[in-house]
């Protein structure tokens, strides 16, 4: 306990205590609600909403609302919220992170705050880590919300549903994806029964219009991006963000926050040169040709390496300033040295799939950026996928900071409390356990070598199993998982292996990991969503008692992770709901964390002791040194994420501005006033450019007219009219600014007349408005994609400004601001130079129809060939030589084209 805590008390205890008065109020209401019929309980929701309309706040409604949720839960799920779960619900409602230990019922806790915050009718998003949990929780907890009259939606990767107990799918396959059979198996061995047939397929928009919508962070993010790529309001599916509850909040808002969501389109064919670069890198030698810094996660060529690469390639890309080739060679070097098979990625059916380092799960559909994924594909001899062009992108930090109110829950958040507060303004509050925690966390065992450590682990497992204790072994990678599995098999230890390669067995293995003598070997993915029940599932009191007598579940961590939070997640699998249990980490000097980050004094201590490789030391100083190393790594990772966020915040302001402008355009009935402003700005720019010289005799009116003719048609006397603006009305000489104003007033009136001319080419004004809206949106979308690419290149090279004693972030902000202003100007110009031509397609189509009627077009298979120049076609029933030419010259057709 720190000195500050001794003097002022534990701030977490104070935070929890402020919720206790409401717990008493909720408990006092229970006896009244028991008496209500189901219909009367459901009618409470309408009553709450009416009181909200009259000005009563959610905080005042909280005790009654929570009491109703608890009563509905008792009637539907036969589960009564514990008092600490009520506190957890209040933590979520307050817009904070609730840290609740494994097995404390976080899924049930979320129903309290989601119900209360759904009452205003603006929608609540409950964010889960995968599609299965979104479906499961929606059906499982949907029973409570349905009993209270609220609608529940689900958004999955390729489907969306509404929870509807009155709907029975004709075939249960209707609501299954590829993994649903295993989902059902998981449910069957869990303590709940899920009726997936109650999920009624619906549109994406219907799922989002539900009072409460369950889905993954990826789906909420991608739907946000897709909505802001839509060209019609009716194509958008989401409502403005209101309130989100993020399950496993540390995983989503911290771990996954480093990788942005990207919607992309294929750009160019995959370059076969990736294979060539991979072959070149394989010929190089560590230390001689390149250096690797594992601590900084970087790899660089030496001078000798540059020479050797040039020799193997037959040319020197560095001397040729061939930056693209240098860029790909750097990616090939990183792929070869820093990214390991069965650790960072797996190869399945010829496809390279990323493994999430924090959860151990396969990240289907996710790819490394900047050519790294293609470099890994070349390294493994897999087929190289086409490179892509970014159409839209957003980070999870900026996605979830858009919610006016945000909360989350997890078993491990305290170690990241600083980042939660600084990035998301989220306070972390640890909710007490329902029963006292009795798990024993034993001192780390430290060994000289990995081989000695693994021998000791196998020995420890055999001893624990012999007395009937179940053991959960955690590894940080697939390859270590498989090495340890082979050692256990050699010693005759029966065990289940769980990693990303056989994740389909996860439900079965984790559900039975609490059986007497069971040994489960797992990566970090181990069983989110399923509790390990002592004695196995379904619960057996006699079997559970036997396991408790043996000491409960024993968790062995075979290596310390860079993040203490991941270690705590593994420990948290033992000792749920007051069960006995224990945990211990086995560490060696060969482990990555010790090898890269441990201090020389720790390594020297083990060397001086001269212990055999399988004899450990249990020393608090060493354990503190390990935790200190973890703290440094966590701090470094936080700084990296903070640094990346500072850069992304710049792009985020651009994105918000562009998306807001798109939204205004789609919502506007008539976009012409906005376009007219753009036209007036462009006309002013043209006039200012050609009249910048002080001597008016040198003002180039001919160039003004010819330039504006590329925008819109002008009267034949336009040049004379502009020149006439020079002549004063009286004897006084007009100032230059006054002359320009007169010229612009005249040109603006001409532009409005030209727009009136556009209207006559369309029978329905709504058609013209639709096309004008399309012109605006297309200009924004096309140039926004180019802006994203340009910003990406700017960001990649801005670090070099540091060598010139300039702050790269300041330089980045300055350059990005200039580029954004350039983007807006380019949007204006693209719209202005195309908007007056939008009638030509309809005009030409009409003229072509007239020519066809007159027999002037011959059919040649699938193509059409006109007998006269297409440039001369005008609308109308008569193609006269004296008609005005549509090209905007202001001349008669015969004079313009001589036809």
């Amino acid at each position: 306990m720190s000195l500050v805590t001794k003097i002022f008390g534990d701030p977490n205890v104070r935070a929890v205590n402020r919720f206790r008065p409401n717990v008493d109020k909720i408990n006092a209401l229970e006896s009244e609600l028991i008496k209500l019929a189901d219909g009367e309980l459901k009618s409470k929701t309408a009553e709450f909403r009416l009181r909200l309309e009259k000005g009563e706040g959610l905080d005042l409604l909280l005790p009654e609302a929570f009491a109703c949720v608890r009563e509905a839960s008792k009637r539907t799920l036969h589960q009564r919220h514990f008092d600490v779960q009520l506190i957890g619900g209040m933590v979520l409602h307050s817009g904070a992170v609730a840290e609740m230990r494994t097995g404390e019922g976080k899924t049930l806790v979320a129903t309290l705050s989601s119900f209360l915050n759904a009452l205003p009718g603006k929608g609540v998003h409950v964010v889960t880590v995968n599609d299965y949990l979104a479906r499961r929780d929606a059906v499982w907890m949907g029973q409570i919300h349905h009993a209270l009259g609220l609608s529940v939606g689900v958004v999955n990767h390729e489907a969306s549903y509404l929870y509807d107990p009155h709907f029975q799918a004709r075939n249960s396959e209707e609501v299954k994806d590829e993994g649903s059979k295993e989902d059902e198996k998981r449910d069957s061995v869990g303590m709940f029964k899920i009726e997936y047939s109650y999920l009624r397929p619906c549109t994406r928009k219907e799922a989002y219009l539900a009072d409460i919508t369950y889905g993954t962070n990826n789906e909420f993010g991608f739907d946000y991006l897709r909505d802001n790529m839509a060209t019609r309001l009716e194509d958008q599916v989401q409502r403005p963000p209101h309130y989100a509850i993020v399950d496993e909040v540390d995983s989503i808002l911290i771990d996954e926050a480093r990788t942005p969501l990207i919607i992309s389109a294929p750009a160019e064919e995959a370059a076969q040169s990736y294979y060539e670069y991979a072959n070149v890198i394989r010929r190089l030698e560590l230390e001689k040709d390149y250096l690797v810094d594992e601590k900084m996660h970087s790899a660089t060529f030496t001078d000798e390496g540059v020479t050797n690469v040039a020799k193997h390639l037959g040319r020197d890309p560095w001397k040729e300033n061939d930056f693209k080739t240098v860029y790909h060679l750097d990616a090939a070097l990183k792929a070869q040295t820093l990214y390991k098979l069965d650790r960072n990625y797996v190869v399945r059916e010829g496809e390279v799939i990323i493994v999430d380092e924090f959860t151990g799960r396969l990240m289907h559909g996710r790819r490394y950026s900047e050519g790294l994924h293609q470099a890994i594909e070349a390294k493994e001899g897999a087929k190289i996928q086409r490179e892509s062009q970014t159409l839209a992108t957003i980070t999870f930090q900026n996605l979830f900071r858009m919610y006016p109110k945000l909360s989350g829950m997890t078993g491990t958040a305290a170690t990241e409390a600083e980042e939660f507060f600084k990035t998301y303004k989220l306070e972390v509050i640890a909710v007490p356990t329902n029963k006292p925690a009795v798990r024993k966390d034993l001192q780390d065992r430290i060994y000289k070598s990995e081989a000695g450590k693994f021998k000791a682990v196998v020995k420890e497992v055999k001893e624990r199993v012999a007395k009937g204790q179940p053991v959960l072994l955690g590894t940080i990678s697939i390859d270590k998982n498989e090495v340890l599995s082979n050692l256990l098999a050699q010693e005759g230890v029966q065990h289940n292996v769980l990693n990303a390669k056989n994740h389909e067995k996860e439900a079965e293995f984790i559900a039975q990991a609490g059986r007497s003598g069971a040994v489960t070997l797992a990566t970090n993915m181990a069983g989110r969503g399923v509790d390990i029940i002592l004695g196995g599932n379904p619960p057996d009191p006699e079997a559970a008692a036997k396991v408790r007598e043996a000491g409960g579940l024993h968790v062995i961590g075979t290596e310390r992770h860079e993040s203490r939070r991941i270690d705590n997640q593994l420990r948290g699998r033992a000792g749920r709901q007051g069960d006995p249990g224990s945990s211990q980490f086995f560490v060696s000097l060969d482990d990555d964390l010790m090898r890269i980050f441990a201090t020389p004094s720790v390594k020297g201590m083990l060397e001086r002791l001269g212990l055999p490789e399988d004899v450990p030391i249990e020393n608090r100083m060493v354990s503190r040194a390990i935790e200190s190393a973890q703290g440094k790594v966590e701090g470094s990772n936080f700084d990296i994420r903070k640094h990346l966020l500072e850069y992304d915040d710049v792009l985020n302001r651009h994105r918000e501005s562009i998306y807001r402008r798109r939204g205004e355009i789609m919502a506007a009935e008539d976009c012409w006033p906005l376009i007219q402003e753009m036209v007036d700005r462009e006309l002013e720019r043209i006039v200012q450019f050609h009249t910048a010289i002080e001597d008016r005799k040198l003002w180039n009116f001919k160039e003004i007219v010819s330039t504006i003719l590329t925008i819109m048609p002008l009267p034949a006397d336009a040049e004379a009219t502009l020149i006439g603006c020079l002549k004063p009305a009286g004897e006084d000489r007009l100032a230059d600014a006054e002359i320009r104003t007169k010229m612009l007033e005249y040109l603006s009136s001409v532009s409005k007349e030209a727009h009136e001319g556009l209207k006559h080419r369309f029978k329905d004004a709504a058609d013209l408005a639709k096309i004008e809206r399309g012109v605006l949106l297309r200009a924004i979308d096309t140039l926004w994609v180019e802006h994203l690419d340009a910003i990406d290149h700017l960001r990649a090279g801005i670090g070099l400004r540091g060598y010139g004693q300039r702050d790269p972030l300041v330089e980045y902000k300055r350059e990005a601001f200039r580029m954004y202003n350039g983007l807006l100007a380019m949007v204006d110009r693209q719209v202005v130079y195309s908007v007056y031509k939008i009638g030509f397609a309809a005009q030409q189509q009409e003229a072509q129809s007239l020519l066809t009627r007159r027999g002037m077009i011959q059919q040649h298979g699938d193509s059409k060939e006109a007998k006269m120049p297409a440039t001369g076609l005008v609308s109308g029933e008569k193609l006269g030589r004296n008609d005005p030419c549509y090209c905007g010259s202001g001349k008669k057709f015969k004079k313009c084209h001589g036809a």
Side-chain angles (χ1 to χ4, degrees):
M1 185 181 293
S2 69
L3 180 63
V4 174
T5 302
K6 287 180 180 178
I7 297 173
F8 297 102
D10 188 337
N12 190 81
V13 172
R14 290 202 304 273
V16 170
N17 285 340
R18 76 172 186 258
F19 298 120
R20 294 196 182 277
N22 271 337
V23 173
D24 296 334
K25 293 178 183 178
I26 296 166
N27 290 333
L29 291 166
E30 190 167 13
S31 57
E32 297 177 20
L33 294 177
I34 290 174
K35 302 172 186 176
L36 298 180
D38 290 349
E40 292 175 311
L41 183 63
K42 179 180 283 191
S43 67
K44 281 286 186 180
T45 300
E47 177 193 321
F48 294 149
R49 284 179 159 163
L50 184 62
R51 287 161 61 182
L52 277 176
E53 289 176 9
K54 293 181 177 179
E56 194 168 342
L58 290 178
D59 290 344
L60 289 175
L61 288 176
L62 187 148
E64 294 174 74
F66 276 31
C68 286
V69 173
R70 176 193 262 179
E71 183 60 28
S73 178
K74 285 160 54 182
R75 298 184 187 189
T76 55
L77 304 184
H78 308 294
Q79 294 181 358
R80 180 183 180 275
H81 293 76
F82 302 130
D83 285 358
V84 291
Q85 287 177 309
L86 298 177
I87 291 174
M90 284 180 260
V91 171
L92 295 180
H93 171 66
S94 70
V97 172
E99 183 182 75
M100 302 181 70
R101 286 202 177 194
T102 300
E104 291 295 309
K106 292 186 287 292
T107 307
L108 190 62
V109 166
T111 59
L112 297 160
S113 183
S114 58
F115 171 77
L116 177 61
N117 286 273
L119 292 175
K122 296 179 180 179
V124 171
H125 292 170
V126 181
V127 187
T128 64
V129 293
N130 58 50
D131 282 349
Y132 156 67
L133 289 175
R135 283 196 307 274
R136 187 204 72 176
D137 293 354
V139 178
W140 190 16
M141 299 296 116
Q143 300 171 68
I144 298 173
H145 296 304
H146 185 267
L148 292 170
L150 295 188
S151 55
V152 175
V154 185
V155 289
N156 275 182
H157 178 49
E158 293 181 343
S160 47
Y161 310 98
L162 285 173
Y163 173 70
D164 183 359
H166 304 296
F167 173 81
Q168 283 282 342
R170 295 185 303 277
N171 184 344
S172 60
E173 298 297 321
E174 291 181 21
V175 291
K176 290 182 183 178
D177 62 13
E178 190 175 338
S180 285
K181 290 182 180 179
E182 292 307 320
D183 296 346
E184 290 184 350
K185 183 185 291 186
R186 175 188 292 213
D187 298 336
S188 68
V189 297
M191 297 185 68
F192 42 80
K193 175 65 175 173
I194 303 298
E195 290 290 347
Y196 286 107
S197 59
Y198 290 167
L199 288 177
R200 173 165 58 84
C202 67
T203 65
R204 206 77 164 174
K205 180 174 282 191
E206 286 177 313
Y208 278 112
L209 286 174
D211 293 306
I212 300 166
T213 304
Y214 286 81
T216 65
N217 48 313
N218 286 347
E219 293 310 308
F220 287 126
F222 282 131
D223 283 339
Y224 167 75
L225 292 177
R226 281 189 286 262
D227 274 0
N228 285 287
M229 294 170 67
T231 56
R232 302 183 305 165
L233 284 176
E234 53 265 38
D235 293 334
Q236 295 184 325
V237 297
Q238 289 186 341
R239 291 186 279 181
H242 169 57
Y243 173 57
I245 301 173
V246 184
D247 193 9
E248 304 298 353
V249 66
D250 54 332
S251 176
I252 291 173
L253 296 190
I254 303 294
D255 300 337
E256 294 198 39
R258 298 178 305 171
T259 308
L261 290 176
I262 298 173
I263 292 179
S264 60
E268 56 189 47
E269 290 296 333
Q272 294 302 303
S273 54
Y274 282 109
Y275 293 117
E276 180 186 2
Y277 303 144
N279 288 330
V280 168
I281 299 301
R282 288 191 190 98
R283 302 179 193 178
L284 304 182
E285 297 179 26
L286 179 62
E287 303 294 342
K288 176 186 173 186
D289 295 310
Y290 61 86
L291 301 173
V292 176
D293 186 340
E294 293 183 90
K295 187 180 292 188
M296 299 303 295
H297 200 66
S298 65
T300 54
F301 291 105
T302 63
D303 291 340
E304 188 173 354
V306 169
T307 302
N308 285 334
V309 169
K311 185 170 70 174
H312 292 313
L313 285 177
R315 62 188 184 87
D316 190 335
W318 284 273
K319 286 184 179 178
E320 296 171 3
N321 291 325
D322 183 358
F323 298 116
K324 185 174 182 181
T325 298
V326 172
Y327 183 79
H328 288 319
L329 285 167
D330 285 339
L333 182 63
K334 288 180 182 177
Q336 188 69 38
T337 58
L338 299 173
Y339 291 82
K340 306 297 183 185
L341 178 66
D342 288 343
R343 176 159 188 166
N344 303 106
Y345 63 90
V346 298
V347 179
R348 178 168 291 180
E349 297 179 359
E351 181 184 359
V352 172
I353 305 173
I354 299 172
V355 176
D356 187 329
E357 66 171 298
F358 295 97
T359 66
R361 299 182 187 276
L362 297 182
M363 301 172 72
H364 292 279
R366 302 287 283 272
R367 292 175 63 83
Y368 294 116
S369 59
E370 300 176 348
L372 179 59
H373 208 96
Q374 287 88 345
I376 294 173
E377 288 168 335
K379 167 190 170 184
E380 297 297 339
K383 181 182 177 182
I384 296 176
Q385 304 296 321
R386 291 176 64 178
E387 296 190 46
S388 58
Q389 181 181 34
T390 300
L391 302 181
T393 179
I394 193 170
T395 60
F396 285 124
Q397 288 107 320
N398 282 317
L399 174 69
F400 285 104
R401 290 195 304 182
M402 290 192 301
Y403 286 85
K405 186 174 179 181
L406 179 66
S407 64
M409 50 191 184
T410 182
T412 48
T415 56
E416 311 294 343
E418 180 185 4
E419 184 164 356
F420 276 122
F421 185 77
K422 287 186 175 179
T423 304
Y424 304 99
K425 298 294 184 284
L426 288 173
E427 181 185 3
V428 174
I429 298 176
V431 178
T433 55
N434 183 48
K435 296 179 180 178
V438 295
R439 186 187 71 224
K440 297 177 182 177
D441 295 329
L442 306 175
Q443 196 74 32
D444 289 1
R445 291 187 186 179
I446 298 95
Y447 297 82
K448 284 177 63 176
S449 70
E450 184 176 76
K453 176 185 71 175
F454 280 162
K455 285 180 185 177
V457 168
V458 173
K459 181 181 177 183
E460 178 76 7
V461 170
K462 292 174 73 174
E463 290 175 358
R464 297 276 179 176
V465 169
K467 63 179 186 177
Q469 194 170 9
V471 179
L472 174 66
L473 288 156
T475 64
I476 68 169
S477 64
I478 298 171
D479 56 342
K480 299 289 176 66
N481 186 275
E482 293 175 342
V483 167
L484 190 52
S485 175
N486 290 332
L487 291 174
L488 288 169
Q490 289 171 15
E491 292 294 319
V493 179
Q494 290 189 344
H495 63 283
N496 290 322
V497 180
L498 176 59
N499 58 46
K501 288 184 175 180
N502 64 342
H503 63 93
E504 63 277 358
K505 295 287 187 180
E506 179 178 5
E508 181 181 347
F509 289 169
I510 292 299
Q512 302 306 329
R515 286 185 297 107
S516 176
V519 178
T520 307
L521 176 58
T523 53
N524 294 330
M525 68 189 294
R528 281 187 170 178
V530 177
D531 289 334
I532 297 178
I533 309 297
L534 296 188
N537 251 338
D540 181 338
E542 291 184 14
K546 181 180 176 183
V547 172
R548 285 193 182 93
E549 200 172 311
L553 177 68
H554 182 62
V555 172
I556 296 178
T558 60
E559 192 168 338
R560 282 282 196 172
H561 196 275
E562 286 184 2
S563 170
R564 289 171 294 173
R565 179 167 44 82
I566 307 301
D567 291 344
N568 292 338
Q569 286 174 0
L570 182 61
R571 287 190 193 275
R573 304 308 300 175
R576 62 175 294 279
Q577 284 291 329
D579 286 339
S582 54
S583 69
Q584 189 167 36
F585 279 87
F586 285 59
V587 181
S588 80
L589 291 182
D590 294 333
D591 296 347
D592 288 345
L593 185 72
M594 295 291 286
R595 182 170 51 82
I596 300 170
F597 297 102
T599 60
S601 61
V602 173
K603 298 177 181 178
M605 177 190 296
L606 288 177
E607 295 294 339
R608 287 194 301 273
L609 290 173
L611 296 172
E613 65 175 15
D614 59 345
V615 175
I617 64 166
E618 296 183 22
N619 185 291
R620 287 197 175 276
M621 189 191 85
V622 178
S623 296
R624 282 197 298 269
I626 293 171
E627 291 188 1
S628 174
Q630 288 177 309
K632 289 176 183 175
V633 177
E634 288 167 2
S636 174
N637 289 337
F638 173 34
D639 288 341
I640 291 170
R641 286 191 292 265
K642 181 182 176 184
H643 182 68
L644 291 173
L645 184 59
E646 287 174 339
Y647 279 85
D648 191 65
D649 279 345
V650 176
L651 181 60
N652 190 55
R653 285 192 286 273
H654 298 180
R655 177 172 41 243
E656 288 176 347
S657 175
I658 289 292
Y659 286 176
R660 183 168 56 250
R661 176 178 283 211
R662 285 185 97 263
E664 291 169 356
I665 290 169
M666 286 193 291
E669 291 185 12
D670 183 7
C671 296
W672 183 252
L674 177 60
I675 295 174
Q676 184 66 58
E677 289 177 13
M678 295 178 174
V679 171
D680 290 342
R681 282 196 296 269
E682 183 62 18
L683 293 174
E684 183 177 3
R685 190 190 69 81
I686 294 170
V687 169
Q688 287 281 2
F689 180 80
H690 291 292
T691 62
I693 305 172
E694 289 186 15
D695 188 350
R696 297 178 186 176
K697 294 177 182 178
L698 298 177
W699 285 9
N700 199 332
F701 293 96
K702 186 178 288 293
E703 279 297 318
I704 293 175
V705 170
S706 62
T707 303
I708 295 175
L709 277 173
T710 63
I711 298 175
M712 63 185 180
L714 289 174
D717 61 348
E719 185 177 341
T721 304
L722 290 173
I723 294 172
C725 294
L726 291 171
K727 299 174 183 178
E731 295 299 323
D732 297 332
R733 175 185 169 90
L734 293 177
D736 289 355
E738 292 177 294
I739 294 171
R740 292 189 188 102
T741 299
K742 289 179 65 178
M743 293 168 65
L744 290 171
E745 288 174 352
Y746 165 69
L747 291 172
S748 181
S749 66
V750 171
S751 71
K752 292 171 184 174
E753 289 175 9
H755 184 248
E756 289 299 317
L758 272 181
K759 291 181 180 178
H760 294 309
R761 295 176 187 169
F762 292 86
K763 296 177 182 177
D764 188 345
D767 290 340
L768 176 60
K770 187 185 297 182
I771 295 175
E772 288 171 350
R773 183 179 295 109
V775 168
L776 280 165
L777 293 177
R778 182 169 180 79
I780 290 173
D781 292 345
T782 302
L783 294 168
W784 173 244
V785 170
E786 293 179 8
H787 182 71
L788 290 176
D789 191 49
I791 285 287
D792 193 44
H793 282 93
L794 171 67
R795 189 165 171 175
I798 200 70
L800 298 174
R801 304 281 180 96
Y803 293 110
Q805 304 303 311
R806 288 180 289 178
D807 185 338
L809 180 59
V810 173
E811 292 293 306
Y812 176 76
K813 289 179 178 179
R814 182 183 294 117
E815 288 290 327
F817 180 71
R818 179 188 61 78
M819 290 168 65
Y820 181 68
N821 286 335
L823 165 67
L824 298 182
M826 285 293 292
V827 168
D828 283 6
R829 294 198 68 192
Q830 186 158 315
V831 171
V832 169
Y833 282 85
S834 58
V835 71
Y836 288 99
K837 301 177 180 66
I838 60 179
F840 296 167
Q843 186 176 352
Q844 289 177 332
Q845 185 177 7
E846 185 179 348
Q848 181 174 298
S849 174
L850 178 60
L851 287 172
T852 302
R853 290 199 299 274
R854 294 183 178 182
M856 297 181 69
I857 291 183
Q858 297 172 336
Q859 296 291 337
H860 294 280
D862 293 331
S863 65
K864 295 179 180 179
E865 181 181 310
K867 287 184 177 179
M868 61 183 292
T871 52
L873 301 183
V874 293
S875 63
E877 283 298 312
K878 183 179 179 182
L879 291 174
R881 291 161 61 86
N882 291 319
D883 287 334
C885 183
Y886 83 97
C887 71
S889 66
K891 300 177 182 179
K892 302 297 184 185
F893 178 69
K894 65 179 181 180
K895 289 184 179 180
C896 188
H897 289 288

